[in-house]
Amino acid sequence: MEPVHSGKVRDVYADGDDLVLVASDRVSVYDVVLPTPIPDKGRVLTQLSLWWFERLADIMPNHVVSASDVPAEWAGRAIRCRRLEMMPVEFVARGYLAGSALAEYRKHKSLSGNPLPGGLVEASRLPEPVFTPTTKAAEGHDEPITYDDVVGLIGAETAERLRDATLRIYSRGAELAAERGIVIADTKVEFGRAPDGTLVLADEVLTPDSSRFWPADQWRPGRPQNSLDKQFLRDWSSTIAEWDRTPPGPEVPEDIVEATRARYVECYERITGRRWR
């Protein structure tokens, strides 16, 4: 098995015609990998993605070849998957106003060129989900782009299909999560093209690393929300006055590690209805 790439969270290996995607316990905030891992995080991301892939297969085929045909030391956190030509875009759908979208709305009263009504506040539900793509930066921060920019990068037909798929994935996920008492505020997905030309859903999907999850019974527009995702760790890191959001990142205290792990596990258990083991 040959190493191909090591990202902030995932390591990729080539194995014959396939790739093996391994989700580590590394965690990043503001695009900086922190030196302290979060136990079980990689396994949660992998198992939750597999659960969602099954429930989204009618919208878009996915890259999974096998979740079991992987080296034993990576069992539970690795997926054998298809080789794809990945799209140079992060496909983002938002149903609520949070994060960078809130800052953009306050400045422009729009998101990615889509006008929005006045009077919205932090965590407001949007009139309908909005497609807000970004660049896919190899280093540094992803930058917002418009739908027209996406058309320029991948062509009109592909852009339309993947925009529609992104919004359908978000809507399906938000509906299923709502039945389980969770608000999915936004999510990021990635797509690739198989050698036969098929468009394929790839990487991870609707996880606490790629999405914002809020307990529905605690949702209160107009203030920051309690979260079941990586936002908890971002919020903690923002309290460290001496850290300027550049490498190296700060060590994470044990109580913050445990609280972060608990949020990932709770998210998995509430969405899937399965007990984490």
Side-chain angles (χ1 to χ4, degrees), residues 41 106 138 141 165 265:
K41 174 177 174 286
R106 285 171 170 168
H141 301 291
V265 169

PDB file of all heavy atoms in Angstrom, residues 41 106 138 141 165 265:
ATOM      1  N   LYS A  41     -12.457  10.154  17.195  1.00  0.00           N
ATOM      2  CA  LYS A  41     -12.994  11.107  16.213  1.00  0.00           C
ATOM      3  C   LYS A  41     -12.998  10.524  14.796  1.00  0.00           C
ATOM      4  O   LYS A  41     -14.008  10.615  14.079  1.00  0.00           O
ATOM      5  CB  LYS A  41     -12.184  12.406  16.240  1.00  0.00           C
ATOM      6  CG  LYS A  41     -12.555  13.424  15.166  1.00  0.00           C
ATOM      7  CD  LYS A  41     -11.735  14.695  15.348  1.00  0.00           C
ATOM      8  CE  LYS A  41     -11.961  15.675  14.219  1.00  0.00           C
ATOM      9  NZ  LYS A  41     -11.304  15.259  12.959  1.00  0.00           N
ATOM     10  N   ARG A 106     -24.219  40.303   7.136  1.00  0.00           N
ATOM     11  CA  ARG A 106     -24.194  41.608   7.800  1.00  0.00           C
ATOM     12  C   ARG A 106     -23.594  42.685   6.900  1.00  0.00           C
ATOM     13  O   ARG A 106     -23.995  43.849   6.965  1.00  0.00           O
ATOM     14  CB  ARG A 106     -23.394  41.501   9.104  1.00  0.00           C
ATOM     15  CG  ARG A 106     -24.148  40.785  10.216  1.00  0.00           C
ATOM     16  CD  ARG A 106     -23.255  40.511  11.411  1.00  0.00           C
ATOM     17  NE  ARG A 106     -24.026  40.032  12.563  1.00  0.00           N
ATOM     18  CZ  ARG A 106     -23.467  39.504  13.649  1.00  0.00           C
ATOM     19  NH1 ARG A 106     -22.144  39.379  13.740  1.00  0.00           N
ATOM     20  NH2 ARG A 106     -24.247  39.103  14.647  1.00  0.00           N
ATOM     21  N   ALA A 138      -5.391  24.351  -1.161  1.00  0.00           N
ATOM     22  CA  ALA A 138      -4.437  23.352  -0.693  1.00  0.00           C
ATOM     23  C   ALA A 138      -3.839  23.770   0.643  1.00  0.00           C
ATOM     24  O   ALA A 138      -3.551  22.939   1.508  1.00  0.00           O
ATOM     25  CB  ALA A 138      -3.339  23.157  -1.728  1.00  0.00           C
ATOM     26  N   HIS A 141      -7.034  29.335   3.838  1.00  0.00           N
ATOM     27  CA  HIS A 141      -8.485  29.323   3.952  1.00  0.00           C
ATOM     28  C   HIS A 141      -9.168  29.189   2.596  1.00  0.00           C
ATOM     29  O   HIS A 141      -8.710  29.751   1.598  1.00  0.00           O
ATOM     30  CB  HIS A 141      -8.966  30.621   4.616  1.00  0.00           C
ATOM     31  CG  HIS A 141      -8.402  30.841   5.993  1.00  0.00           C
ATOM     32  ND1 HIS A 141      -8.750  30.061   7.070  1.00  0.00           N
ATOM     33  CD2 HIS A 141      -7.511  31.745   6.455  1.00  0.00           C
ATOM     34  CE1 HIS A 141      -8.099  30.465   8.142  1.00  0.00           C
ATOM     35  NE2 HIS A 141      -7.337  31.497   7.803  1.00  0.00           N
ATOM     36  N   ALA A 165     -27.542  18.654  -6.456  1.00  0.00           N
ATOM     37  CA  ALA A 165     -27.259  17.513  -5.583  1.00  0.00           C
ATOM     38  C   ALA A 165     -26.885  17.983  -4.184  1.00  0.00           C
ATOM     39  O   ALA A 165     -27.315  17.396  -3.176  1.00  0.00           O
ATOM     40  CB  ALA A 165     -26.142  16.660  -6.173  1.00  0.00           C
ATOM     41  N   VAL A 265     -19.594  11.836  19.700  1.00  0.00           N
ATOM     42  CA  VAL A 265     -20.295  10.581  19.974  1.00  0.00           C
ATOM     43  C   VAL A 265     -21.800  10.820  20.097  1.00  0.00           C
ATOM     44  O   VAL A 265     -22.608  10.044  19.559  1.00  0.00           O
ATOM     45  CB  VAL A 265     -19.734   9.918  21.242  1.00  0.00           C
ATOM     46  CG1 VAL A 265     -20.618   8.754  21.688  1.00  0.00           C
ATOM     47  CG2 VAL A 265     -18.307   9.439  21.005  1.00  0.00           C
TER      48      VAL A 265
END
